[in-house]
Amino acid sequence: MLLAGGQGSRLGVLTAKVAKPAVAFGGKYRIIDFPLSNCINSGVDTVGVLTQYQPLRLNTHIGIGIPWDLDRNVGGVSILPPYEKSTNSEWYTGTANAIYQNLDYMEMFHPDYVLILSGDHIYKMDYGVMLNFHKEKNADVTIAAMQVPIEEAGRFGIVVTDENGRIKDFEEKPEKPSSNLASMGIYIFSWPVLKDALIKLSSQPNCDFGKHIIPYCHEKNDRLFAYEYNGYWKDVGTLKSYWEANMELIQLIPEFNLYEEFWKIYTNSANLPPQYLGEQAVIDRCIISNGSDIYGEVHNSVLGTGVTVGKGSIVRDSIIMRDVTIGENCIIDKAIIAEDTVIGERSVLGIGPEVENKFKPDIYSGGLVTVGEKSVIPPGVQIGKNTAVSGVTTAEDYAGGVLAGGETLIKAGERS
């Protein structure tokens, strides 16, 4: 059961019109491709994807699951949005509540075990190995966990284990954590235990695994174990972590490798022509996806499919999503530009000193310029750091042709 309904509000304008799992990542991929690819690489061939917030692009991307070999007569992938029932109808109000509302779906398959996943993490994991661990320990619940720096542990659910890996205590986002072993939000439940917990806590408002289900199972002395994972795992829930994870892909020896034959990442990829590099193009340490036309310079950046970089333009340390058009003689420095955006010629993004964002300083930080999808930046404007722009903007929106660092420009209009 793959939880993919999150809004991802900490990604700001990137998720204004799309669910976080559907946000582009690593050029041609979307974030949800990674847990879906883990499923098929691990032999998991029955997957329910729970959607809610802005689901259209996510549903279109997944389709009937062909890229992941999940188009099957029995099992395969199923999209599970909230639905109206005869007695009541409600949105998914918590992670466990979403699973509870799909008890009938799970019952159809008479499962022995249910794997609960989040749709917005970047990692490679063989869930079969985790399931073997669950069986060997005769566990009721197994929680995937990994070591994190102790100063960051308060952001996670923290598990305290004995020498055999059995969980003695569970703390949800504690102020003073007792350990640095953090839950990854990946669970395997033996079906009777999960079913009992979901039904018993069905009246709990905003029922959540970390806050309610895991403590409930622990209190009734179910056998809870931590499966310690030592590989790469990234929660790309903030603009800073999202940018960093993309930049890590283009290191000389990337910690997270997209090119491994034995663990492929699958995606719903359009049939596009190869990249075209003009005679004056300069490219240095980049991911450049199919269908892109490069006439300028691109350094240390990740470009999606169908991107155009105009003659004389320079792109550095940036994430440019699919079908973005960058005009001639632009300078793009440490920006995240979402899909279907047009950057007018001679525009400069990422100028000046870092100034704290006045609107949402906790979101628009790290010296980034963030541009929402289907935006238009007019020719010749200058945009400072820690800024956000979304919508169809005109020269009149920029006082003196400048959006100063720390400012935000969000307009309701969008290009058709």
Side-chain angles (χ1 to χ4, degrees), residues 90-138:
E90 60 176 319
W91 293 104
Y92 296 150
T93 57
T95 54
N97 173 266
I99 302 295
Y100 169 73
Q101 290 196 46
N102 288 283
L103 274 175
D104 289 345
Y105 169 78
M106 293 182 285
E107 290 270 30
M108 283 169 47
F109 299 100
H110 308 291
D112 295 316
Y113 309 100
V114 177
L115 171 68
I116 311 290
L117 303 174
S118 175
D120 52 11
H121 297 154
I122 305 297
Y123 66 109
K124 298 175 184 176
M125 180 189 283
D126 189 338
Y127 304 130
V129 176
M130 183 177 171
L131 179 58
N132 289 337
F133 174 90
H134 180 86
K135 292 176 180 177
E136 288 165 9
K137 296 294 185 180
N138 192 28

Side-chain angles (χ1 to χ4, degrees), residues 12-17 336 338-339 341 359 364 369-377 383 387-394 397-398 403 407-415:
V13 293
L14 296 187
T15 50
K17 302 185 183 92
I336 302 174
E339 303 177 20
T341 288
F359 179 50
Y364 302 115
V369 179
T370 308
V371 182
E373 67 174 54
K374 296 185 178 178
S375 295
V376 173
I377 308 294
I383 299 175
T387 51
V389 179
S390 184
V392 178
T393 65
T394 63
D397 297 314
Y398 300 81
L403 182 69
E407 298 290 343
T408 305
L409 175 57
I410 298 178
K411 299 190 74 175
E414 92 178 24
R415 264 184 326 118

Side-chain angles (χ1 to χ4, degrees), residues 1-12:
M1 300 293 279
L2 180 51
L3 295 159
Q7 180 177 354
S9 56
R10 291 179 299 159
L11 289 179

Side-chain angles (χ1 to χ4, degrees), residues 133 137-139 141-143 164-167 223-227:
F133 174 90
K137 296 294 185 180
N138 192 28
V141 184
T142 297
I143 301 174
N164 295 315
R166 185 162 182 175
I167 295 172
R223 291 174 58 81
L224 274 67
F225 283 81
Y227 170 76

Side-chain angles (χ1 to χ4, degrees), residues 330-394:
C330 297
I331 297 176
I332 313 291
D333 196 0
K334 202 175 180 184
I336 302 174
I337 302 178
E339 303 177 20
D340 293 301
T341 288
V342 175
I343 309 293
E345 60 185 22
R346 305 184 318 283
S347 295
V348 182
L349 278 62
I351 61 164
E354 279 197 45
V355 179
E356 184 175 85
N357 186 271
K358 298 175 184 176
F359 179 50
K360 291 184 177 178
D362 55 328
I363 293 178
Y364 302 115
S365 60
L368 291 162
V369 179
T370 308
V371 182
E373 67 174 54
K374 296 185 178 178
S375 295
V376 173
I377 308 294
V381 301
Q382 298 185 338
I383 299 175
K385 298 172 182 175
N386 293 338
T387 51
V389 179
S390 184
V392 178
T393 65
T394 63

Side-chain angles (χ1 to χ4, degrees), residues 193-219:
V193 174
L194 177 61
K195 184 177 178 182
D196 169 73
L198 291 173
I199 291 172
K200 289 283 173 56
L201 297 179
S202 61
S203 61
Q204 171 69 49
N206 304 318
C207 191
D208 184 83
F209 279 98
K211 293 178 183 175
H212 305 111
I213 298 293
I214 300 301
Y216 169 81
C217 293
H218 185 251
E219 286 166 14

